[in-house]
Amino acid sequence: MTRRIEIYDTTLRDGAQGPNVKFSSDDQLRVVAALDALGVSYIEGGQPGSNPKAVELFARARDMDLKHARMAAFGSTRHPKSAVEDDANLKALVSAGTEVVTIFAKTWGVHAKEILRVSLEENLDLVSESVAFLKAEGRRVILDAEHFFDGYNDDSAYALEVLRRGLDAGAEALVLCETNGGGLPHQIAAATRAVCEALPDAVIGIHTHNDSGCAVANTLAAVLEGAAHVQGTVNGYGERTGNANLCTVIANLQLKMGFDVVTPAQLERLSSTSHLVAELANVTPRDHAPYVGRNAFTHKGGMHADAVRKLKVSYEHVNPELVGNRTLIAVSEMSGRSSVIQKAAELGITLERDDPATSAVLARVKGLENEGYEFEGADASLEMLMRKARGECASFFTTESFRVRVSHEKGDLISEAIVKMNLPDGEQVFTVAEGAGPVDALNNALRKALEGTYPEVRDVHLEDYKVRILDGKLATQAKTRVLIESSDAVASWNTVGVSGNIIEASYVALLDSIEYKIFRTRSNSKEPGEA
Amino acid sequence: MTRRIEIYDTTLRDGAQGPNVKFSSDDQLRVVAALDALGVSYIEGGQPGSNPKAVELFARARDMDLKHARMAAFGSTRHPKSAVEDDANLKALVSAGTEVVTIFAKTWGVHAKEILRVSLEENLDLVSESVAFLKAEGRRVILDAEHFFDGYNDDSAYALEVLRRGLDAGAEALVLCETNGGGLPHQIAAATRAVCEALPDAVIGIHTHNDSGCAVANTLAAVLEGAAHVQGTVNGYGERTGNANLCTVIANLQLKMGFDVVTPAQLERLSSTSHLVAELANVTPRDHAPYVGRNAFTHKGGMHADAVRKLKVSYEHVNPELVGNRTLIAVSEMSGRSSVIQKAAELGITLERDDPATSAVLARVKGLENEGYEFEGADASLEMLMRKARGECASFFTTESFRVRVSHEKGDLISEAIVKMNLPDGEQVFTVAEGAGPVDALNNALRKALEGTYPEVRDVHLEDYKVRILDGKLATQAKTRVLIESSDAVASWNTVGVSGNIIEASYVALLDSIEYKIFRTRSNSKEPGEA
């Protein structure tokens, strides 16, 4: 029987410490849903004791129907000066209402003494009492042993005693945290081995950072020595050089080392999960990322495509489909027929393999991907594209012209937009509106033009607006991808636009959003965004 | 005595296989000079047999006065159908005129048979004859054993025999190449150990790729088992997921494992070498890169700057100065006087603790941070703010008004900007320009208005443009933060602008960039961006 490894994701807590990694409240829920579908065991949502956003997340996550994952609230052992039952942090952890609570404890004597200002013995009591308190409140408890490896090097007996106190008080996993990063695999292996020998009945966990470029290898080394609980973040986000990249760790454990981590179907979600989290965090995906990166299975032009196909095993360390990625020949080769058909089915559209409409959809997707489109986070745009290619969607309006003007004069900043739209009955509407900025003005003008004929556009709210510069090196001449999230009373949906001009890219995404709403209202189909 | 490890750089050959990694002929020479200064032993320059640019590089490099490094030409064993003395590739290797020649050989039977279409015995002869030929021509020879680990798993005796033939014919290093990538440290360690035991007198080398996210760890594992020659690329450039990152490998071997790799003074060049190579390759530097990345030693969060200073060893795995990097306090979080003073010192500005100007700077920074500014990636904006608050910087121009218009009519998309600027002598300039988008048009109009008085603005290039929506939930009414990277022949610098209007945010960042350039040119201070 293969050994089971449980995955503990901390993208929303430790990952969000990374520079420029930010998730809105709605984005956090989308990350939770994606992680659950990927099959992780735990999702750490943040510190309810210090972060109101985490409190909100735990409250909202309670209404989600999670299939695999358990939410974990994160905090510290009790304050040295509080009684355990009065400790504000522990109380906040309990009121987060999660099944699992993770608390971190000092394992390194110098930190206990210099930062907590407690004796070594008192520090042990903090651990015992805090774990026992949370257990008594009915929580499953995970103990993160902060600075474990530094502490172990400094005083191995004390570091082990911290773990033992956690275990005795009821912690179900003891996590060796390499807080400073910078360890090397042979060092991590030796310490983990010693811990697993000293505490043979405990579930030992590992939490690494990438300061020596070995976060993944350090994690694998600990698992080989007996660790059965692995912490990390999607895409390796985290402060400084980042945390262990769970995308790489999961694939290595499952495909290379034969551990039981997630199901094959869950593993196929690895690449799309990586992409989705990057999009939501508004961080450019790392094309060179192992397994999930756009270039991870890209073979260069010089090599003949047939040769790669024939001797694939010589050029690919694993089959990319196992992790939801694909072989790319040449600079960019687009989604194959099967993945488009699969995606269409997800959106409720049946595409037949040999139908000419399927070829039309495929050609259109490839063409747009060449221009810089990515439909990963823009299902509504993809659905409209498919329905139009199949002739399922009437034309509700066309644009005759649009204009946007921003002027700054004598301290006044004015943004104004003008649109001229053609409606199906031959009518032409010509409207002007102001806004907080050029895109807001455009949105206002567009709604004013269309709401007479399509009153449902009044219900559309723009929820989120994201801008990504595709080739930053071209500076202000670079292509821009705009992602817009819209909602009405019932659902929310996402659309995308790409152009060398940010105003045009925004306009395209706005039009898609409005068209989607009108289509959904007027077809007898399900509500917008409903799965 | 510590064991000596020799570094073999293949940035210009294997690294240049990476997507978007391109070096001009002049850039190649700058890379060679930087690598020599860093203290690598070998610099692989490319395949003279198939690449005219490599021939030119070797010719030009002969005139360089390299202190440490030897140039290496790269090619394959003789063609199966050529006599060794008539082989075009071997002749090209000889005429490259390098002291060192590296040839790759098939180690995996299936490749010898299916790609070279020779018998296993013939393949061994190719190795012996090719190495012997190059030795007879007076070259030092390194043998790259391609697909070594796959070959070893398939038929270890044969793989070892390939190495032995190379050794017997006079190769001075036998390099185990993990061509497919995807190996894990314990696997690489086991095979390397077996090779070192079988060939105790040979210098064994290691060449890894990052397909399993373990290129660095695999390299270290091989060195621990006896490898004494390490191949890799600066910043880990290379096809797919890249090669072993020499910046990380060198630092780990020297600082963490006690090997003798480069001198301390050479090690201090690590960060600047990484940056230079990224600039020359025209690739955005990876801020999260271990040791050399901008964020590798960045501290943020609720942690007080004083605490970091006091317990530095608890938060940094090595002293950043050893690798030419530095501790950064994330300015977005700077609340206290000490972090502002420390940051100012980094920028070459002395702020006295009790100076009223220091309070003015602090108040201004806090005010802007409240508006959504973040100076983390915008040192030039922060420096201009500090200098203005201290009255060190004259006003070079003010804006009377600006206007931007984007119109889309009959398929034509036009972006145009108008600026009216006041110059110090009372002159007013009024210019109009078009651009690829609204911000590009604004940039063009601004330069047109200022270049008469300040010709140095012509030298400014916009290198990168980033947009972040601060509170996406406000959708198109959200605040927008724009980050711009600019450069001239000497340096690059970053500026920031924030507004509810993306055009105004971009305008603010553009103005800061131009002001910074003018200030640096006109003050008798150091060059822009110079540390």
Side-chain angles (χ1 to χ4, degrees):
Chain A
M1 215 185 74
T2 56
R3 186 147 65 92
R4 168 98 185 129
I5 307 293
E6 57 184 29
I7 301 293
Y8 183 106
D9 178 277
T10 178
T11 306
L12 295 174
R13 205 266 309 167
D14 231 7
Q17 299 288 315
N20 306 323
V21 176
K22 298 256 154 57
F23 297 102
S24 72
S25 229
D26 286 349
D27 289 345
Q28 287 186 325
L29 291 186
R30 291 179 69 184
V31 171
V32 168
L35 289 169
D36 184 50
L38 180 64
V40 310
S41 299
Y42 305 97
I43 300 170
E44 192 171 84
Q47 296 206 39
S50 63
N51 184 353
K53 227 165 105 184
V55 175
E56 185 189 343
L57 168 63
F58 291 123
R60 295 179 70 185
R62 273 199 293 276
D63 298 331
M64 295 175 75
D65 182 24
L66 298 182
K67 298 276 183 280
H68 304 277
R70 295 292 167 263
M71 296 300 295
F74 180 84
S76 68
T77 50
R78 73 162 169 83
H79 192 280
K81 296 201 170 135
S82 310
V84 71
E85 61 278 8
D86 299 329
D87 187 76
N89 166 56
L90 291 176
K91 279 184 174 169
L93 286 170
V94 170
S95 46
T98 55
E99 182 175 327
V100 179
V101 169
T102 301
I103 54 173
F104 67 94
K106 301 288 179 198
T107 329
W108 192 0
V110 62
H111 273 236
K113 285 184 280 190
E114 295 201 17
I115 294 180
L116 290 188
R117 305 200 176 280
V118 296
S119 70
L120 294 183
E121 193 50 47
E122 283 169 308
N123 182 51
L124 294 174
D125 292 339
L126 297 184
V127 176
S128 302
E129 289 176 25
S130 304
V131 174
F133 172 78
L134 291 166
K135 285 296 290 180
E137 292 286 339
R139 298 300 184 267
R140 296 169 53 191
V141 180
I142 293 172
L143 183 72
D144 272 9
E146 206 194 27
H147 281 294
F148 178 80
F149 295 91
D150 293 303
Y152 184 84
N153 284 340
D154 184 39
D155 181 349
S156 59
Y158 185 73
L160 280 171
E161 189 56 24
V162 172
L163 298 180
R164 200 171 282 120
R165 288 292 191 99
L167 182 66
D168 291 346
E172 66 177 55
L174 310 172
V175 184
L176 316 183
C177 297
E178 202 219 356
T179 310
N180 257 8
L184 299 180
H186 60 288
Q187 299 161 342
I188 301 298
T192 307
R193 188 183 317 135
V195 171
C196 291
E197 281 166 7
L199 301 169
D201 299 328
V203 173
I204 300 301
I206 180 74
H207 173 118
T208 65
H209 289 261
N210 202 37
D211 297 77
S212 63
C214 293
V216 167
N218 286 345
T219 302
L220 304 182
V223 171
L224 281 176
E225 298 297 341
H229 168 115
V230 165
Q231 298 194 347
T233 63
V234 175
N235 299 330
Y237 296 145
E239 59 181 328
R240 305 193 308 271
T241 58
N243 288 53
N245 184 342
L246 282 182
C247 299
T248 319
V249 167
I250 291 172
N252 280 333
L253 289 175
Q254 179 119 350
L255 297 176
K256 299 272 173 76
M257 295 165 78
F259 289 105
D260 173 20
V261 187
V262 295
T263 67
Q266 289 168 336
L267 193 63
E268 283 176 22
R269 306 185 77 105
L270 202 61
S271 297
S272 61
T273 305
S274 160
H275 255 75
L276 177 72
V277 172
E279 282 297 322
L280 295 177
N282 201 19
V283 169
T284 309
R286 295 174 189 161
D287 287 344
H288 60 283
Y291 293 101
V292 300
R294 190 184 174 76
N295 294 331
F297 300 95
T298 296
H299 303 289
K300 268 212 139 167
M303 196 171 285
H304 195 274
D306 279 346
V308 174
R309 218 175 16 244
K310 220 170 5 189
L311 269 177
K312 224 176 164 191
V313 64
S314 332
Y315 299 103
E316 290 183 346
H317 66 122
V318 298
N319 176 352
E321 287 167 20
L322 298 177
V323 292
N325 207 340
R326 54 192 170 158
T327 302
L328 293 182
I329 313 290
V331 184
S332 63
E333 192 217 41
M334 309 304 147
S335 0
R337 192 166 288 253
S338 353
S339 49
V340 168
I341 292 175
Q342 192 182 331
K343 186 70 198 177
E346 257 177 45
L347 298 170
I349 302 172
T350 309
L351 289 182
E352 300 296 339
R353 197 159 191 92
D354 301 319
D355 187 342
T358 305
S359 303
V361 166
L362 202 61
R364 182 88 181 118
V365 169
K366 283 186 181 184
L368 288 174
E369 284 186 352
N370 265 339
E371 285 175 36
Y373 275 77
E374 229 179 61
F375 293 100
E376 202 81 38
D379 278 1
S381 284
L382 185 60
E383 180 174 341
M384 291 313 286
L385 178 164
M386 288 178 171
R387 297 208 183 271
K388 282 182 191 166
R390 288 159 55 81
E392 282 179 28
C393 175
S395 169
F396 302 116
F397 51 79
T398 59
T399 301
E400 181 68 26
S401 65
F402 71 81
R403 252 180 296 164
V404 167
R405 201 171 66 121
V406 176
S407 68
H408 190 286
E409 206 147 355
K410 303 192 201 324
D412 278 344
L413 183 65
I414 296 168
S415 302
E416 147 194 310
I418 297 173
V419 298
K420 193 187 279 180
M421 310 297 291
N422 301 310
L423 296 171
D425 56 4
E427 194 196 348
Q428 202 168 61
V429 279
F430 196 25
T431 53
V432 59
E434 288 189 341
V439 182
D440 191 43
L442 207 43
N443 182 40
N444 293 339
L446 211 42
R447 291 156 61 112
K448 205 164 147 187
L450 298 171
E451 66 187 7
T453 311
Y454 305 107
E456 62 266 35
V457 304
R458 288 194 202 110
D459 304 334
V460 182
H461 301 284
L462 299 186
E463 291 291 341
D464 201 355
Y465 175 76
K466 288 200 168 92
V467 176
R468 156 86 36 95
I469 306 301
L470 295 188
D471 184 358
K473 282 298 204 184
L474 293 173
T476 50
Q477 297 182 29
K479 278 212 174 179
T480 301
R481 180 165 65 228
V482 167
L483 275 168
I484 286 180
E485 184 181 340
S486 313
S487 74
D488 57 19
V490 181
S492 64
W493 59 95
N494 295 280
T495 55
V496 59
V498 174
S499 165
N501 185 312
I502 192 170
I503 303 296
E504 191 186 37
S506 305
Y507 187 75
V508 169
L510 283 173
L511 285 189
D512 262 13
S513 168
I514 292 176
E515 262 192 320
Y516 182 81
K517 168 69 179 175
I518 298 173
F519 172 76
R520 285 306 203 172
T521 306
R522 274 147 211 268
S523 70
N524 284 328
S525 171
K526 58 190 179 182
E527 280 296 328
E530 211 177 82
Chain B
M1 213 184 74
T2 57
R3 185 146 65 91
R4 167 100 186 129
I5 306 292
E6 57 183 29
I7 301 292
Y8 183 107
D9 178 276
T10 178
T11 306
L12 296 175
R13 206 266 309 167
D14 232 8
Q17 300 288 315
N20 307 322
V21 176
K22 297 260 151 53
F23 298 103
S24 71
S25 230
D26 287 349
D27 290 344
Q28 287 186 325
L29 291 185
R30 291 179 69 185
V31 172
V32 167
L35 289 168
D36 184 50
L38 180 64
V40 310
S41 299
Y42 305 96
I43 300 170
E44 192 171 83
Q47 296 206 38
S50 63
N51 184 352
K53 225 164 105 184
V55 175
E56 185 190 342
L57 169 63
F58 292 122
R60 295 179 70 184
R62 274 200 293 276
D63 298 332
M64 295 175 75
D65 182 24
L66 299 182
K67 299 277 184 279
H68 303 277
R70 295 293 167 263
M71 295 301 294
F74 180 82
S76 69
T77 50
R78 75 162 167 83
H79 191 279
K81 296 200 172 138
S82 309
V84 71
E85 61 278 8
D86 299 328
D87 187 76
N89 166 56
L90 290 176
K91 278 183 173 170
L93 286 170
V94 170
S95 45
T98 56
E99 183 175 326
V100 179
V101 170
T102 301
I103 54 172
F104 67 94
K106 300 290 180 197
T107 328
W108 192 0
V110 63
H111 272 235
K113 285 184 280 189
E114 294 199 18
I115 294 181
L116 290 187
R117 305 200 175 279
V118 296
S119 71
L120 294 182
E121 193 49 48
E122 283 170 309
N123 182 51
L124 294 173
D125 291 340
L126 297 185
V127 176
S128 301
E129 289 175 26
S130 304
V131 173
F133 171 79
L134 291 167
K135 286 297 290 180
E137 293 287 337
R139 298 301 185 267
R140 295 168 55 190
V141 181
I142 293 171
L143 184 71
D144 271 10
E146 206 195 25
H147 280 296
F148 178 80
F149 295 91
D150 293 303
Y152 184 84
N153 284 340
D154 184 40
D155 181 348
S156 60
Y158 184 73
L160 280 171
E161 188 57 24
V162 172
L163 297 180
R164 199 171 283 120
R165 287 292 191 98
L167 182 66
D168 291 346
E172 67 178 52
L174 310 172
V175 184
L176 315 184
C177 297
E178 201 220 357
T179 310
N180 258 10
L184 299 181
H186 61 288
Q187 299 161 342
I188 301 299
T192 307
R193 187 183 319 136
V195 170
C196 291
E197 281 167 7
L199 302 169
D201 298 329
V203 172
I204 300 300
I206 180 74
H207 173 118
T208 66
H209 289 260
N210 201 38
D211 297 77
S212 62
C214 293
V216 166
N218 287 344
T219 301
L220 305 182
V223 170
L224 281 177
E225 297 297 343
H229 168 113
V230 166
Q231 299 194 348
T233 63
V234 175
N235 298 331
Y237 296 145
E239 58 181 328
R240 303 193 308 273
T241 58
N243 288 53
N245 185 342
L246 282 182
C247 299
T248 320
V249 167
I250 291 172
N252 279 335
L253 289 175
Q254 180 119 351
L255 297 176
K256 300 271 174 77
M257 296 165 76
F259 290 106
D260 171 21
V261 187
V262 296
T263 67
Q266 289 167 337
L267 194 62
E268 283 176 21
R269 307 184 75 104
L270 203 61
S271 296
S272 60
T273 305
S274 160
H275 257 74
L276 176 73
V277 172
E279 281 300 317
L280 295 177
N282 200 22
V283 170
T284 308
R286 295 174 189 162
D287 287 343
H288 61 284
Y291 293 101
V292 299
R294 186 186 177 79
N295 293 332
F297 300 95
T298 294
H299 304 288
K300 74 169 207 178
M303 197 170 285
H304 194 274
D306 280 346
V308 174
R309 224 178 7 247
K310 220 174 357 192
L311 268 178
K312 225 176 160 188
V313 64
S314 333
Y315 299 103
E316 290 183 346
H317 66 122
V318 299
N319 176 351
E321 287 166 21
L322 298 177
V323 292
N325 207 340
R326 55 185 178 167
T327 301
L328 290 182
I329 306 296
V331 185
S332 57
E333 301 290 338
M334 75 184 189
S335 41
R337 198 164 282 254
S338 11
S339 47
V340 171
I341 292 175
Q342 192 179 334
K343 185 69 198 180
E346 258 178 42
L347 297 171
I349 302 172
T350 310
L351 289 183
E352 299 297 339
R353 201 162 186 89
D354 301 318
D355 187 341
T358 304
S359 304
V361 166
L362 201 62
R364 181 92 182 115
V365 168
K366 282 188 182 178
L368 288 173
E369 284 185 351
N370 271 339
E371 286 176 35
Y373 275 76
E374 223 178 66
F375 293 101
E376 194 157 336
D379 278 0
S381 284
L382 184 62
E383 180 174 342
M384 291 312 287
L385 178 163
M386 288 178 169
R387 297 207 184 273
K388 283 180 190 167
R390 288 160 53 83
E392 283 180 25
C393 175
S395 169
F396 301 117
F397 51 79
T398 58
T399 301
E400 181 68 26
S401 66
F402 71 81
R403 251 180 297 165
V404 168
R405 201 171 66 121
V406 175
S407 68
H408 191 285
E409 206 146 356
K410 302 191 203 322
D412 278 344
L413 183 65
I414 294 168
S415 302
E416 147 193 311
I418 297 174
V419 298
K420 193 186 279 181
M421 310 297 291
N422 300 311
L423 295 171
D425 56 4
E427 192 195 351
Q428 202 168 60
V429 278
F430 195 27
T431 53
V432 59
E434 288 189 340
V439 183
D440 192 42
L442 208 43
N443 183 39
N444 293 338
L446 211 41
R447 290 156 63 111
K448 208 163 143 185
L450 297 172
E451 68 187 8
T453 311
Y454 305 106
E456 61 267 34
V457 304
R458 288 193 201 112
D459 303 333
V460 181
H461 300 283
L462 299 187
E463 292 291 342
D464 201 353
Y465 175 75
K466 288 199 175 94
V467 175
R468 166 154 314 246
I469 308 301
L470 294 188
D471 184 358
K473 289 298 282 174
L474 293 173
T476 49
Q477 298 181 31
K479 279 214 172 177
T480 301
R481 180 165 62 229
V482 167
L483 275 168
I484 286 179
E485 182 181 342
S486 313
S487 75
D488 57 19
V490 182
S492 62
W493 59 95
N494 296 282
T495 55
V496 60
V498 173
S499 165
N501 185 312
I502 192 171
I503 303 296
E504 190 186 35
S506 305
Y507 187 75
V508 169
L510 283 172
L511 284 189
D512 262 12
S513 168
I514 292 176
E515 262 192 320
Y516 181 80
K517 168 68 179 177
I518 298 173
F519 171 75
R520 285 306 203 173
T521 305
R522 274 148 212 269
S523 70
N524 284 328
S525 171
K526 59 194 177 178
E527 280 298 327
E530 209 178 83

